[in-house]
Amino acid sequence: MIYRKRGSVARWENGTLVRVSESGVALERGELFECHPETIGDVPHVDESRVLEAARVVQEAAGDVAIERLILIDGIALHEYRDEGFSSWTEHTQRMHLSLTRGHTRALLDLASFDPAEVSRIAAILARAEDREREAPPRLRLAPNVTAALLPSLVGIAPPNVRLVQTAGGVDGYGAPIIEATGPWPNAYRPSYRMRPIRMPLNLRIECDVTEIERDRPVAVALLAPASTVLRVLIDDGERAYPSTVRVTRIDAVSAPTTWYPYAGGSFGAEMML
């Protein structure tokens, strides 16, 4: 098996613009895996103006709260994979990794686009949030960005009233089509040509027979720490906003999936009711 990659990235990180280009090859022969740089043609070019403009827009969207970290990535990669056959594909990538702070509270956001809408929404709630942690309400909604971050932690332990499903579409780290599946997971994720692909679910979504969401429940709008089945979140109940800790022990309802987020092998956000 031979995998080749050519790609370039424009990366904006806290005021510094970095341009990276690479080309390399990975080979697998049974248990042996090796990789090395390789010049195999022209590396595609990325227009850095997109990340510069996105940085300006996101900084404006943050309003009165401080940006502790802002990483914007715009990239393109050409992939080739040879085994018994040959496949090639092109991948365009945008990523935003952001942390907003006010007082002792830090909100985290990871997006697959430069759209500032979620930044504006979360920044406005954080700007009026209390700094003291409060007990979570007994009934709660999770915003789609919080649900997407949670899904990888539910693999293998999801409550019986919901289903975790790999969504078909695109190709995996071996150039194979990503197919609809509920496990065992048939596809593999390749985070870099320097690593052997990992068998795991891609493009996760969560399904539940109950899809109606009660809009009067308080909502967890953002993560305050990396996600697990215990979530530190920023909660907005309409009158006040505050940090809290939520243990996910049951799921009452899940709406239709919406936006794709770059968690693990990718996951779709949906409103969830706990």
Side-chain angles (χ1 to χ4, degrees):
M1 302 179 185
I2 302 175
Y3 167 76
R4 287 187 166 90
K5 176 184 177 181
R6 288 177 285 154
S8 61
V9 166
R11 177 186 176 106
W12 195 95
E13 184 166 355
N14 296 335
T16 300
L17 179 67
V18 179
R19 305 172 192 83
V20 178
S21 297
E22 67 175 8
S23 60
V25 60
L27 300 96
E28 293 183 66
R29 302 182 184 91
E31 296 300 314
L32 175 66
F33 175 83
E34 59 179 307
C35 63
H36 55 78
E38 181 184 69
T39 302
I40 51 176
D42 295 334
V43 174
H45 173 72
V46 171
D47 182 0
E48 64 205 35
S49 66
R50 288 193 292 264
V51 296
L52 295 174
E53 175 62 13
R56 183 191 66 79
V57 171
V58 170
Q59 288 171 317
E60 289 182 356
D64 295 330
V65 303
I67 295 178
E68 180 185 62
R69 180 190 68 152
L70 174 59
I71 299 174
L72 298 165
I73 299 169
D74 192 17
I76 183 172
L78 308 179
H79 306 266
E80 295 181 0
Y81 181 74
R82 295 178 183 273
D83 188 7
E84 296 177 354
F86 172 80
S87 60
S88 64
W89 65 99
T90 302
E91 179 183 25
H92 296 267
T93 302
Q94 282 191 345
R95 297 287 185 269
M96 182 194 304
H97 305 288
L98 175 70
S99 57
L100 300 169
T101 62
R102 180 177 176 273
H104 295 92
T105 305
R106 175 189 295 112
L108 309 176
L109 190 59
D110 295 281
L111 301 174
S113 78
F114 295 159
D115 186 346
E118 287 195 65
V119 179
S120 297
R121 178 176 59 85
I122 291 169
I125 296 169
L126 180 60
R128 60 180 177 81
E130 302 172 10
D131 215 23
R132 181 171 64 89
E133 182 154 337
R134 293 181 175 271
E135 185 175 351
R139 296 291 182 265
L140 183 68
R141 287 181 290 145
L142 303 185
N145 57 301
V146 178
T147 296
L150 170 66
L151 294 193
S153 299
L154 295 180
V155 174
I157 62 168
N161 66 315
V162 298
R163 299 169 295 280
L164 285 174
V165 182
Q166 174 175 278
T167 305
V171 296
D172 72 357
Y174 287 119
I178 298 172
I179 62 174
E180 197 93 348
T182 57
W185 309 110
N187 290 103
Y189 173 60
R190 188 189 297 267
S192 164
Y193 83 85
R194 302 174 188 86
M195 298 178 63
R196 187 191 292 268
I198 304 163
R199 187 75 58 180
M200 63 185 293
L202 307 176
N203 305 331
L204 270 177
R205 71 179 190 270
I206 188 168
E207 296 179 344
C208 180
D209 291 338
V210 180
T211 58
E212 185 175 350
I213 303 296
E214 297 173 7
R215 298 294 168 188
D216 58 346
R217 292 193 184 191
V219 57
V221 298
L223 293 174
L224 304 181
S228 68
T229 53
V230 177
L231 297 170
R232 286 207 70 245
V233 290
L234 177 64
I235 293 178
D236 180 18
D237 68 7
E239 296 182 358
R240 63 187 180 185
Y242 52 88
S244 191
T245 299
V246 178
R247 184 178 296 276
V248 181
T249 57
R250 73 177 196 287
I251 296 172
D252 295 338
V254 180
S255 70
T258 55
T259 307
W260 188 93
Y261 292 84
Y263 294 106
S267 57
F268 284 95
E271 279 199 295
M272 181 183 289
M273 202 163 65
L274 304 180

